[in-house]
Amino acid sequence: MEEYRVKLRRTDELIEQAFERCARLPALAGEAIAAAMDEDKSVDDLATLVGTDQALSARLMRLANSPSLGRPMRVNDLRTAALLVGLDGLRGLLLGSVMHLVTPGGQ
């Protein structure tokens, strides 16, 4: 019975921590999810949204300049980076960034 109570307390703590993380989400998180799920959004629309956040901008630039894309020259602007990564890559970046914020150890 005591083991059950310990597990229940731990579950309650985890749920409380998840709610706290969600409460601290930046305003951009909701906008990022909506934009990523909107099929009418263009690469430019998503690049503009990414450009409003320094951390997202840095992640996009790292992604665009990663060796896996095999670019001979360094990408220096968000629009070019967004075009290289593409819509699916931008959507993944936005959703992944939000998920990083809400999962344990993400902050």
Side-chain angles (χ1 to χ4, degrees), residues 5-75:
R5 286 187 183 133
V6 169
K7 286 181 180 179
L8 187 58
R9 256 193 316 272
R10 180 64 184 143
T11 301
D12 286 344
E13 289 171 6
L14 291 172
I15 290 171
E16 186 175 318
Q17 290 170 3
F19 277 118
E20 287 175 12
R21 282 191 298 276
C22 288
R24 291 191 308 251
L25 281 177
L28 179 65
E31 193 176 345
I33 292 170
M37 302 307 289
D38 185 348
E39 295 201 7
D40 292 329
K41 294 290 185 187
S42 69
V43 169
D44 284 331
D45 295 333
L46 296 182
T48 299
L49 179 61
V50 169
T52 64
D53 183 84
Q54 285 183 331
L56 282 175
S57 297
R59 285 184 181 148
L60 176 57
M61 294 306 291
R62 270 196 307 274
L63 184 59
N65 285 306
S66 71
S68 64
L69 291 181
R71 293 232 352 129
M73 296 172 28
R74 187 161 176 76
V75 176

Side-chain angles (χ1 to χ4, degrees), residues 70-84:
R71 293 232 352 129
M73 296 172 28
R74 187 161 176 76
V75 176
N76 294 316
D77 65 280
L78 284 178
R79 186 173 190 286
T80 302
L83 289 170
L84 282 172

